[in-house]
Amino acid sequence: MFRLRRPQLGWALLQRRSSTLAAHLGPYKSRTHTCGELDETCVGQHVDLCGWVVQNRKISKKLAFFVLQDIHGQVQLLATSKSSQGSENSGNGALSVLGSLPLQSTVQVSGVVKRRLPSAVTPGKSGAIEVEIVNARMLNPASEQLPFLPNDENNLPNEEFRLKHRHLDLRRRKLSSNLHKRSEISHKIRNYLHSKNFVEVETPMLLKSTPEGAREYLVPTRLSKIGAQNAMVTDPESKQTSASLESQVEPMFYALSQSPQQPKQILISSGAVERYFQFARCFRDEDGRADRQPEFTQIDLEMAWVSWGGEGASGLNTPQRPFSDWRIGGREKGSYELL
């Protein structure tokens, strides 16, 4: 727990006002469905949804359409003056609650899934249905003057500007899809390597600096080498002052791992692990390239007792073209089955 010395400042931070709208700070209903899983099989069901409003279309004072989005997809909302239950934190109807929100505001809505008119059907999984709102609650209002709208792909600013507002840029489907694809690929790689008896081992990121390889990032540490202290231990009668000791302080640094080369070689040569892998974070103080940046991830592998060809090796283990010139390890008797 912590205590703010200026309670009014803490209240202002919690309110997170857009202009006149304040964020909801209490509990709210958990969602029963995501926006992407609703389809015609859900017609007639009561659903609770959470997401952000990406489009609004007011038809009249008694009718308006909204598009609600989460990372799974989008669904159209229908708000009418009959939505009299309104928001639980005000007496207004759902139509007025949603109609007053800036785009990209997060909301929680409850309603009933209805089938659209045949003339209003659009392509997509949820194109044949809409949710008629029974209750709406604002969770957090967006700013009325956003730097850009992530759903407007035709009018996006340049990448440098978008990086300054990364929280908005990550709402774009392309970037969100990339994150999910990466997670799925990593999961499949792990499952495959585990099925081949590989062991995932994390190696240290903070290492001793080495002269070879790429330029490294150095991380200072509060620990230091003081050569004078060793002299005082051997010579207790030494009367060196603290100022003279400080002048002999040798700062200590760690180097961020540019690759786990040394730790994995120690690991394999120890015999503790015969097949090793990890998704290694690497840091290199180099100029940017198309396939390289200062911080990146690589799949790192190492195996022991591996040999192709030579005495005692079967023909099945001999690589064929275009890999016939490759050699791994020595020429010990026997070899593992190739992956």
Side-chain angles (χ1 to χ4, degrees):
M1 297 292 291
F2 64 93
R3 179 183 299 175
L4 290 174
R5 295 184 178 181
R6 297 175 60 188
Q8 65 275 17
L9 176 60
W11 177 247
L13 292 174
L14 291 175
Q15 287 289 329
R16 300 175 66 100
R17 295 179 180 274
S18 81
S19 59
T20 59
L21 300 173
H24 174 70
L25 302 178
Y28 57 92
K29 288 185 177 180
S30 300
R31 64 181 181 183
T32 59
H33 298 74
T34 65
C35 296
E37 65 181 311
L38 295 180
D39 55 21
E40 292 183 86
T41 62
C42 302
V43 171
Q45 295 184 21
H46 182 90
V47 297
D48 297 307
L49 306 173
C50 293
W52 52 89
V53 180
V54 298
Q55 185 178 341
N56 55 20
R57 183 161 54 97
K58 186 175 181 180
I59 305 301
S60 66
K61 294 182 178 180
K62 298 183 178 181
L63 177 65
F65 293 96
F66 304 90
V67 176
L68 187 70
Q69 179 179 325
D70 59 18
I71 62 171
H72 304 281
Q74 295 182 343
V75 66
Q76 179 170 282
L77 306 178
L78 170 64
T80 67
S81 58
K82 297 180 181 179
S83 303
S84 55
Q85 294 186 31
S87 172
E88 295 179 9
N89 58 357
S90 72
N92 298 328
L95 180 60
S96 61
V97 171
L98 294 180
S100 63
L101 290 178
L103 294 181
Q104 300 299 321
S105 299
T106 54
V107 298
Q108 184 273 326
V109 297
S110 301
V112 180
V113 180
K114 302 287 186 180
R115 194 184 304 273
R116 291 193 195 184
L117 296 174
S119 58
V121 173
T122 59
K125 184 177 180 180
S126 61
I129 57 99
E130 60 190 10
V131 176
E132 185 174 355
I133 300 175
V134 175
N135 186 286
R137 180 190 292 277
M138 177 194 64
L139 299 181
N140 205 349
S143 171
E144 296 175 354
Q145 297 293 331
L146 290 175
F148 65 94
L149 295 177
N151 291 82
D152 190 359
E153 292 285 347
N154 296 324
N155 294 296
L156 289 176
N158 59 52
E159 184 176 14
E160 182 178 357
F161 183 82
R162 298 201 309 271
L163 286 174
K164 295 179 181 179
H165 306 278
R166 192 64 167 170
H167 60 290
L168 275 180
D169 200 27
L170 286 173
R171 285 192 174 183
R172 294 167 52 210
R173 282 192 172 185
K174 181 179 180 180
L175 297 186
S176 176
S177 176
N178 288 342
L179 293 176
H180 287 79
K181 287 179 181 177
R182 178 190 172 107
S183 175
E184 182 180 356
I185 292 171
S186 299
H187 178 70
K188 290 182 177 180
I189 291 174
R190 278 192 171 94
N191 287 345
Y192 177 79
L193 291 177
H194 279 300
S195 71
K196 296 296 182 179
N197 299 322
F198 278 80
V199 178
E200 185 174 6
V201 180
E202 289 186 358
T203 56
M205 284 189 181
L206 296 175
L207 299 171
K208 181 179 180 180
S209 179
T210 56
E212 73 281 353
R215 290 186 295 271
E216 300 165 322
Y217 288 103
L218 298 180
V219 181
T221 173
R222 61 182 180 84
L223 301 177
S224 302
K225 294 181 180 179
I226 305 179
Q229 283 186 339
N230 296 331
M232 292 183 67
V233 171
T234 58
D235 185 11
E237 297 182 359
S238 175
K239 297 182 179 180
Q240 288 179 297
T241 63
S242 59
S244 62
L245 289 177
E246 292 178 359
S247 65
Q248 299 180 47
V249 169
E250 298 179 11
M252 295 178 62
F253 296 86
Y254 289 108
L256 290 179
S257 173
Q258 54 179 296
S259 72
Q261 189 68 28
Q262 293 179 340
K264 74 178 179 183
Q265 289 177 348
I266 295 174
L267 180 67
I268 296 299
S269 63
S270 71
V273 173
E274 293 184 345
R275 293 190 172 193
Y276 140 90
F277 85 97
Q278 73 165 314
F279 291 83
R281 300 292 293 172
C282 301
F283 306 87
R284 298 181 181 178
D285 188 9
E286 295 181 335
D287 296 333
R289 288 181 282 175
D291 60 344
R292 184 65 55 81
Q293 56 186 10
E295 178 182 358
F296 61 94
T297 303
Q298 69 181 28
I299 302 175
D300 200 59
L301 303 168
E302 192 79 15
M303 296 184 290
W305 316 113
V306 177
S307 176
W308 278 351
E311 183 181 356
S314 65
L316 294 176
N317 288 333
T318 302
Q320 306 298 322
R321 291 183 61 84
F323 308 111
S324 56
D325 293 332
W326 288 22
R327 290 292 182 269
I328 297 181
R331 295 182 177 274
E332 299 85 357
K333 293 184 178 180
S335 61
Y336 273 105
E337 177 186 357
L338 296 180
L339 296 180

